[in-house]
Amino acid sequence: MNLDGLEMVAVLVVLALFVKVLEQFGLFEPVSLEDSVEDEFELSTVCHRPEGLEQLQEQTKFTRKELQVLYRGFKNECPSGIVNEENFKQIYSQFFPQGDSSTYATFLFNAFDTNHDGSVSFEDFVAGLSVILRGTIDDRLNWAFNLYDLNKDGCITKEEMLDIMKSIYDMMGKYTYPALREEAPREHVETFFQKMDRNKDGVVTIEEFIESCQKDENIMRSMQLFDNVI
Amino acid sequence: MAAGVAAWLPFARAAAIGWMPVANCPMPLAPADKNKRQDELIVLNVSGRRFQTWRTTLERYPDTLLGSTEKEFFFNEDTKEYFFDRDPEVFRCVLNFYRTGKLHYPRYECISAYDDELAFYGILPEIIGDCCYEEYKDRKRENAERLMDDNDSENNQESMPSLSFRQTMWRAFENPHTSTLALVFYYVTGFFIAVSVITNVVETVPCGTVPGSKELPCGERYSVAFFCLDTACVMIFTVEYLLRLFAAPSRYRFIRSVMSIIDVVAIMPYYIGLVMANNEDVSGAFVTLRVFRVFRIFKFSRHSQGLRILGYTLKSCASELGFLLFSLTMAIIIFATVMFYAEKGSSASKFTSIPASFWYTIVTMTTLGYGDMVPKTIAGKIFGSICSLSGVLVIALPVPVIVSNFSRIYHQNQRADKRRAQKKARLARIRVAKTGSSNAYLHSKRNGLLNEALELTGTPEEEHMGKSTSLIESQHHHLLHCLEKTTNHEFIDEQMFEQNCMESSMQNYPSTRSPSLSSHPGLTTTCCSRRSKKTTHLPNSNLPATRLRSMQELSTIHIQGSEQPSLTTSRSSLNLKADDGLRPNCKTSQITTAIISIPTPPALTPEGESRPPPASPGPNTNIPSIASNVVKVSAL
């Protein structure tokens, strides 16, 4: 039979509806593979438990009570036992409502995440805090150097320092006095390198860093601020 | 900073190590933690249920009761715990707020109870988390509406005195139940609306043949009768409209309101017809105008609440109706176009143009299916069937929204009516409780007197009468007694007051003291009539004032009439009468005075002093002097 154009269209429409009806009955199943994979994924939630209290006591310099308090706060915010980067950034941003602390939080996260597996467990958390709050001044300086050294190659370049500096200035936000200028981070980096870079080779190594910091009174005094945090 | 992450503050401070080496200036000193207590568990005893939490948990929110030193007021030294005499269920939510940083609103909780608890603990309800906030706001709004309704109707009731004629008329129109005249008017207008509509309908019915001409509709056969009926109805409607216009508080707003527009549209055709009846050219337009007479039926909406609700629903569902209309239009245009091109090929097809196909599409989509236009080609039939199926869907979708809107508004109205009905019962209960409280006072006063008398005489059998007033009650009664002493007047109740009124009028008619004689009838009539007038108002505020004034007069009357009797006898005579008057009351005064509400005694004295001036001008000069006599002589 010869169908006109419109009749052809009509017949096609009818066929399409027919297929849809069959699909409803489950006779055709073209698109139902992807959903099942997603369903399975959601069942397994990650739950990490830290090592025992005694082991942590040995590994860190905190007392038992301090560890208990720390763990309670940690578990309250992260019931699954680990912090991922998003969570970390979100927690840290609560303390700096005016500015954008996400970049600095990322650097912190990378510093705490010593085994680079993308998540910070309680052991990592407590280990980092132990160094900062209970370690010697040299330990603390080492930790700070580790924070600045973004690619962990043993030296801080100007670019790395600029990134860090920008992230710190970002935390201030827009509304500052005096108003934040574009060149402020760069100038600050220059000052830093002038102070720290002994041999003027454009990078700061760990020895230069520790040496320069030990000579600087302000830095030494500020390092002692961390004695009473917990 | 969200206090929920207060536990991470040490971490944030530790993370500041990254700033130290790059800083150019020295850091400020850190705040010293002076009393560095070890974190301890504290016990919160809320009505017997013990909650325990860390002290630092509570200190996360220092501007609330539990987080500040305010909780020290509730510290119980003996048990070393904090005791709160509040609801433990709500306290659970409050404590969870400290623990998790999120405040939840439990659905089963009464909204005002919850608000009270939050206010007690110093927590702002705005902190309620997103999960529960909507529910909380909905419930709060409902509650506020309920309170507002109550206040509105209270205000309406209280504005009774001193309404101008215009205002009374407006009230009569808006609320026909206020007076019988309004009710009569309401029913008369309703009747005439019905008559008018029925005449409009019957006018067009064929009425039987007049011999010698074709069948006429009734309107033309009995044209005079119908004209008279129409005129009568229009007269009534015009009068009603003019009266409403006169009585309306804001005429401009009244003119713009829907009901007045309907009124105008209902009566205008008649007048226009009167004016233009003789002009043949516009008689066609005149016929059209008669159509507008049918709008009189909308005047019924003043009489029917359901109709008003329907109108309001349609107004509030305007967006859904608009959506329905829009989607229908779209579908009609699409299907009409398709059907036109599908049927173009068939011979003698009724689908002559796309607008002509609109009719077919509408009839099909609304499943009417008249059958005057039918597709003949196969394509046309297929598309026609799709059209009818989709029509059902498109129409069925917005209808439930409209229905649910209607149901919600209707139930709101039902609730408002129910509340209004219950309000009378509620006020009656409050009134009973208040009179119970004052009756208890009078009762105990009488017993107190008897006790005093009995202590002098020493009869043991009467002692049981003054037994069981609690400490709070006796203190309350002592307070009222002090007030009586201050003002030199006594509290009495309604019956005794009435008795005294009548007694005084009987007692003092034969008295020869002319100024007081001339004043007494006036006094008694005013006092009794004033009192009776006041009982129509909310009774809780006005009655004590009248008692006071009448007491003033009463004491004057007694002193003058009984020639200065001794204190005790006058008082005891009063009380003997009180006995007779109160004895039937005693039994009813067993109503528990759980509500210890002082029935506005502070308002008594200023009101009492202002009452005498409005009395008849005669005793104005007498009463102050007599009152001063009372003050000196009868130190009650």
Side-chain angles (χ1 to χ4, degrees), chain B residues 128-153:
Chain B
I128 291 183
D130 286 335
C131 41
C132 302
Y133 193 62
E134 271 189 46
E135 170 87 15
Y136 173 78
K137 273 291 177 207
D138 283 343
R139 296 274 290 267
K140 193 145 186 195
R141 202 174 10 101
E142 267 180 46
N143 206 32
E145 278 174 11
R146 194 172 305 149
L147 289 177
M148 217 166 51
D149 276 349
D150 282 349
N151 281 344
D152 276 348
S153 35

mmCIF file of all heavy atoms in Angstrom, chain B residues 128-153:
data_model
loop_
_atom_site.group_PDB
_atom_site.id
_atom_site.type_symbol
_atom_site.label_atom_id
_atom_site.label_comp_id
_atom_site.label_asym_id
_atom_site.label_seq_id
_atom_site.Cartn_x
_atom_site.Cartn_y
_atom_site.Cartn_z
ATOM 1 N N ILE B 128 16.611 26.723 63.983
ATOM 2 C CA ILE B 128 16.090 25.395 63.644
ATOM 3 C C ILE B 128 16.606 24.989 62.277
ATOM 4 O O ILE B 128 16.602 25.768 61.338
ATOM 5 C CB ILE B 128 14.557 25.409 63.653
ATOM 6 C CG1 ILE B 128 14.077 25.581 65.084
ATOM 7 C CG2 ILE B 128 14.005 24.122 63.077
ATOM 8 C CD1 ILE B 128 12.599 25.532 65.233
ATOM 9 N N GLY B 129 17.048 23.761 62.199
ATOM 10 C CA GLY B 129 17.667 23.279 60.973
ATOM 11 C C GLY B 129 16.687 23.240 59.811
ATOM 12 O O GLY B 129 15.478 23.247 59.983
ATOM 13 N N ASP B 130 17.227 23.183 58.620
ATOM 14 C CA ASP B 130 16.393 23.203 57.422
ATOM 15 C C ASP B 130 15.411 22.058 57.390
ATOM 16 O O ASP B 130 14.325 22.177 56.841
ATOM 17 C CB ASP B 130 17.283 23.108 56.177
ATOM 18 C CG ASP B 130 17.984 24.417 55.947
ATOM 19 O OD1 ASP B 130 17.451 25.442 56.409
ATOM 20 O OD2 ASP B 130 19.057 24.408 55.329
ATOM 21 N N CYS B 131 15.810 20.937 57.966
ATOM 22 C CA CYS B 131 14.930 19.777 57.880
ATOM 23 C C CYS B 131 13.604 20.021 58.577
ATOM 24 O O CYS B 131 12.577 19.514 58.159
ATOM 25 C CB CYS B 131 15.623 18.568 58.485
ATOM 26 S SG CYS B 131 16.523 18.939 59.989
ATOM 27 N N CYS B 132 13.624 20.810 59.650
ATOM 28 C CA CYS B 132 12.399 21.000 60.420
ATOM 29 C C CYS B 132 11.855 22.414 60.320
ATOM 30 O O CYS B 132 10.830 22.725 60.909
ATOM 31 C CB CYS B 132 12.640 20.699 61.897
ATOM 32 S SG CYS B 132 13.244 19.055 62.183
ATOM 33 N N TYR B 133 12.544 23.279 59.604
ATOM 34 C CA TYR B 133 12.180 24.690 59.690
ATOM 35 C C TYR B 133 10.828 24.969 59.055
ATOM 36 O O TYR B 133 10.038 25.744 59.564
ATOM 37 C CB TYR B 133 13.261 25.544 59.011
ATOM 38 C CG TYR B 133 13.136 26.993 59.324
ATOM 39 C CD1 TYR B 133 13.256 27.467 60.624
ATOM 40 C CD2 TYR B 133 12.877 27.920 58.324
ATOM 41 C CE1 TYR B 133 13.134 28.796 60.915
ATOM 42 C CE2 TYR B 133 12.758 29.252 58.618
ATOM 43 C CZ TYR B 133 12.887 29.689 59.906
ATOM 44 O OH TYR B 133 12.764 31.012 60.195
ATOM 45 N N GLU B 134 10.576 24.306 57.905
ATOM 46 C CA GLU B 134 9.304 24.582 57.219
ATOM 47 C C GLU B 134 8.120 24.188 58.071
ATOM 48 O O GLU B 134 7.156 24.944 58.193
ATOM 49 C CB GLU B 134 9.247 23.778 55.922
ATOM 50 C CG GLU B 134 9.832 24.510 54.757
ATOM 51 C CD GLU B 134 9.547 23.778 53.478
ATOM 52 O OE1 GLU B 134 8.393 23.365 53.315
ATOM 53 O OE2 GLU B 134 10.475 23.621 52.690
ATOM 54 N N GLU B 135 8.213 22.998 58.625
ATOM 55 C CA GLU B 135 7.138 22.515 59.478
ATOM 56 C C GLU B 135 6.891 23.493 60.621
ATOM 57 O O GLU B 135 5.749 23.847 60.922
ATOM 58 C CB GLU B 135 7.546 21.146 60.035
ATOM 59 C CG GLU B 135 6.645 20.615 61.110
ATOM 60 C CD GLU B 135 5.483 19.848 60.556
ATOM 61 O OE1 GLU B 135 5.555 19.497 59.378
ATOM 62 O OE2 GLU B 135 4.524 19.629 61.279
ATOM 63 N N TYR B 136 7.984 23.940 61.236
ATOM 64 C CA TYR B 136 7.876 24.867 62.354
ATOM 65 C C TYR B 136 7.181 26.150 61.930
ATOM 66 O O TYR B 136 6.266 26.636 62.597
ATOM 67 C CB TYR B 136 9.282 25.162 62.881
ATOM 68 C CG TYR B 136 9.337 26.229 63.928
ATOM 69 C CD1 TYR B 136 8.986 25.962 65.237
ATOM 70 C CD2 TYR B 136 9.740 27.523 63.606
ATOM 71 C CE1 TYR B 136 9.031 26.940 66.197
ATOM 72 C CE2 TYR B 136 9.791 28.495 64.559
ATOM 73 C CZ TYR B 136 9.439 28.209 65.858
ATOM 74 O OH TYR B 136 9.484 29.186 66.797
ATOM 75 N N LYS B 137 7.597 26.682 60.788
ATOM 76 C CA LYS B 137 7.014 27.944 60.339
ATOM 77 C C LYS B 137 5.540 27.778 60.013
ATOM 78 O O LYS B 137 4.717 28.641 60.306
ATOM 79 C CB LYS B 137 7.736 28.444 59.077
ATOM 80 C CG LYS B 137 8.931 29.265 59.386
ATOM 81 C CD LYS B 137 8.523 30.587 59.997
ATOM 82 C CE LYS B 137 9.717 31.408 60.393
ATOM 83 N NZ LYS B 137 9.497 32.318 61.466
ATOM 84 N N ASP B 138 5.181 26.637 59.386
ATOM 85 C CA ASP B 138 3.767 26.411 59.058
ATOM 86 C C ASP B 138 2.922 26.387 60.312
ATOM 87 O O ASP B 138 1.890 27.064 60.401
ATOM 88 C CB ASP B 138 3.608 25.071 58.323
ATOM 89 C CG ASP B 138 4.045 25.179 56.888
ATOM 90 O OD1 ASP B 138 4.155 26.318 56.401
ATOM 91 O OD2 ASP B 138 4.288 24.145 56.267
ATOM 92 N N ARG B 139 3.393 25.620 61.299
ATOM 93 C CA ARG B 139 2.611 25.500 62.526
ATOM 94 C C ARG B 139 2.503 26.852 63.205
ATOM 95 O O ARG B 139 1.458 27.208 63.733
ATOM 96 C CB ARG B 139 3.279 24.514 63.476
ATOM 97 C CG ARG B 139 3.353 23.105 62.964
ATOM 98 C CD ARG B 139 2.105 22.333 63.274
ATOM 99 N NE ARG B 139 1.982 22.052 64.675
ATOM 100 C CZ ARG B 139 2.420 20.951 65.248
ATOM 101 N NH1 ARG B 139 3.012 20.023 64.540
ATOM 102 N NH2 ARG B 139 2.267 20.777 66.541
ATOM 103 N N LYS B 140 3.599 27.601 63.168
ATOM 104 C CA LYS B 140 3.579 28.888 63.838
ATOM 105 C C LYS B 140 2.597 29.829 63.162
ATOM 106 O O LYS B 140 1.868 30.571 63.817
ATOM 107 C CB LYS B 140 4.982 29.485 63.798
ATOM 108 C CG LYS B 140 5.129 30.628 64.710
ATOM 109 C CD LYS B 140 6.494 30.673 65.307
ATOM 110 C CE LYS B 140 6.509 31.782 66.327
ATOM 111 N NZ LYS B 140 7.808 32.153 66.719
ATOM 112 N N ARG B 141 2.561 29.763 61.838
ATOM 113 C CA ARG B 141 1.651 30.643 61.118
ATOM 114 C C ARG B 141 0.209 30.297 61.426
ATOM 115 O O ARG B 141 -0.639 31.154 61.641
ATOM 116 C CB ARG B 141 1.915 30.520 59.611
ATOM 117 C CG ARG B 141 1.422 31.719 58.838
ATOM 118 C CD ARG B 141 1.802 31.672 57.380
ATOM 119 N NE ARG B 141 2.347 30.429 56.946
ATOM 120 C CZ ARG B 141 1.684 29.502 56.275
ATOM 121 N NH1 ARG B 141 0.437 29.703 55.983
ATOM 122 N NH2 ARG B 141 2.273 28.384 55.915
ATOM 123 N N GLU B 142 -0.089 29.000 61.448
ATOM 124 C CA GLU B 142 -1.446 28.564 61.785
ATOM 125 C C GLU B 142 -1.858 29.087 63.138
ATOM 126 O O GLU B 142 -2.958 29.599 63.325
ATOM 127 C CB GLU B 142 -1.494 27.038 61.840
ATOM 128 C CG GLU B 142 -1.904 26.368 60.574
ATOM 129 C CD GLU B 142 -1.915 24.876 60.770
ATOM 130 O OE1 GLU B 142 -2.456 24.441 61.793
ATOM 131 O OE2 GLU B 142 -1.352 24.179 59.931
ATOM 132 N N ASN B 143 -0.931 28.944 64.092
ATOM 133 C CA ASN B 143 -1.233 29.398 65.437
ATOM 134 C C ASN B 143 -1.486 30.888 65.478
ATOM 135 O O ASN B 143 -2.429 31.361 66.120
ATOM 136 C CB ASN B 143 -0.054 29.054 66.350
ATOM 137 C CG ASN B 143 -0.494 28.891 67.770
ATOM 138 O OD1 ASN B 143 -1.591 28.457 68.029
ATOM 139 N ND2 ASN B 143 0.361 29.283 68.690
ATOM 140 N N ALA B 144 -0.655 31.629 64.752
ATOM 141 C CA ALA B 144 -0.809 33.086 64.745
ATOM 142 C C ALA B 144 -2.141 33.480 64.133
ATOM 143 O O ALA B 144 -2.818 34.387 64.619
ATOM 144 C CB ALA B 144 0.331 33.718 63.966
ATOM 145 N N GLU B 145 -2.523 32.745 63.053
ATOM 146 C CA GLU B 145 -3.820 33.048 62.441
ATOM 147 C C GLU B 145 -4.946 32.822 63.432
ATOM 148 O O GLU B 145 -5.875 33.619 63.526
ATOM 149 C CB GLU B 145 -4.047 32.142 61.239
ATOM 150 C CG GLU B 145 -3.378 32.621 59.980
ATOM 151 C CD GLU B 145 -3.516 31.618 58.868
ATOM 152 O OE1 GLU B 145 -4.299 30.664 59.037
ATOM 153 O OE2 GLU B 145 -2.840 31.793 57.856
ATOM 154 N N ARG B 146 -4.817 31.720 64.165
ATOM 155 C CA ARG B 146 -5.853 31.409 65.132
ATOM 156 C C ARG B 146 -5.959 32.521 66.159
ATOM 157 O O ARG B 146 -7.045 33.004 66.468
ATOM 158 C CB ARG B 146 -5.501 30.110 65.828
ATOM 159 C CG ARG B 146 -6.629 29.495 66.599
ATOM 160 C CD ARG B 146 -6.234 28.149 67.085
ATOM 161 N NE ARG B 146 -5.788 27.323 65.974
ATOM 162 C CZ ARG B 146 -4.879 26.372 66.076
ATOM 163 N NH1 ARG B 146 -4.298 26.138 67.206
ATOM 164 N NH2 ARG B 146 -4.533 25.662 65.022
ATOM 165 N N LEU B 147 -4.822 32.971 66.685
ATOM 166 C CA LEU B 147 -4.851 34.031 67.678
ATOM 167 C C LEU B 147 -5.402 35.315 67.097
ATOM 168 O O LEU B 147 -6.168 36.027 67.728
ATOM 169 C CB LEU B 147 -3.444 34.290 68.211
ATOM 170 C CG LEU B 147 -2.889 33.201 69.091
ATOM 171 C CD1 LEU B 147 -1.478 33.535 69.481
ATOM 172 C CD2 LEU B 147 -3.747 33.050 70.324
ATOM 173 N N MET B 148 -5.038 35.577 65.848
ATOM 174 C CA MET B 148 -5.498 36.815 65.232
ATOM 175 C C MET B 148 -7.000 36.788 65.052
ATOM 176 O O MET B 148 -7.684 37.771 65.284
ATOM 177 C CB MET B 148 -4.824 36.973 63.863
ATOM 178 C CG MET B 148 -4.483 38.386 63.544
ATOM 179 S SD MET B 148 -3.376 38.536 62.173
ATOM 180 C CE MET B 148 -4.180 37.554 60.946
ATOM 181 N N ASP B 149 -7.507 35.611 64.635
ATOM 182 C CA ASP B 149 -8.951 35.484 64.485
ATOM 183 C C ASP B 149 -9.643 35.772 65.795
ATOM 184 O O ASP B 149 -10.622 36.509 65.847
ATOM 185 C CB ASP B 149 -9.318 34.054 64.048
ATOM 186 C CG ASP B 149 -9.187 33.919 62.554
ATOM 187 O OD1 ASP B 149 -9.036 34.958 61.895
ATOM 188 O OD2 ASP B 149 -9.241 32.786 62.063
ATOM 189 N N ASP B 150 -9.088 35.180 66.873
ATOM 190 C CA ASP B 150 -9.711 35.396 68.174
ATOM 191 C C ASP B 150 -9.709 36.867 68.527
ATOM 192 O O ASP B 150 -10.712 37.420 68.960
ATOM 193 C CB ASP B 150 -8.941 34.622 69.244
ATOM 194 C CG ASP B 150 -9.302 33.164 69.212
ATOM 195 O OD1 ASP B 150 -10.278 32.834 68.525
ATOM 196 O OD2 ASP B 150 -8.616 32.367 69.863
ATOM 197 N N ASN B 151 -8.561 37.514 68.311
ATOM 198 C CA ASN B 151 -8.489 38.934 68.655
ATOM 199 C C ASN B 151 -9.457 39.758 67.846
ATOM 200 O O ASN B 151 -10.104 40.654 68.362
ATOM 201 C CB ASN B 151 -7.060 39.452 68.414
ATOM 202 C CG ASN B 151 -6.173 39.049 69.548
ATOM 203 O OD1 ASN B 151 -6.659 38.672 70.596
ATOM 204 N ND2 ASN B 151 -4.879 39.145 69.342
ATOM 205 N N ASP B 152 -9.539 39.397 66.552
ATOM 206 C CA ASP B 152 -10.437 40.175 65.691
ATOM 207 C C ASP B 152 -11.857 40.100 66.192
ATOM 208 O O ASP B 152 -12.539 41.112 66.327
ATOM 209 C CB ASP B 152 -10.390 39.616 64.254
ATOM 210 C CG ASP B 152 -9.215 40.197 63.514
ATOM 211 O OD1 ASP B 152 -8.629 41.172 64.042
ATOM 212 O OD2 ASP B 152 -8.888 39.701 62.435
ATOM 213 N N SER B 153 -12.307 38.867 66.472
ATOM 214 C CA SER B 153 -13.698 38.760 66.873
ATOM 215 C C SER B 153 -13.913 39.383 68.232
ATOM 216 O O SER B 153 -14.972 39.923 68.513
ATOM 217 C CB SER B 153 -14.166 37.309 66.874
ATOM 218 O OG SER B 153 -13.118 36.479 67.283
#
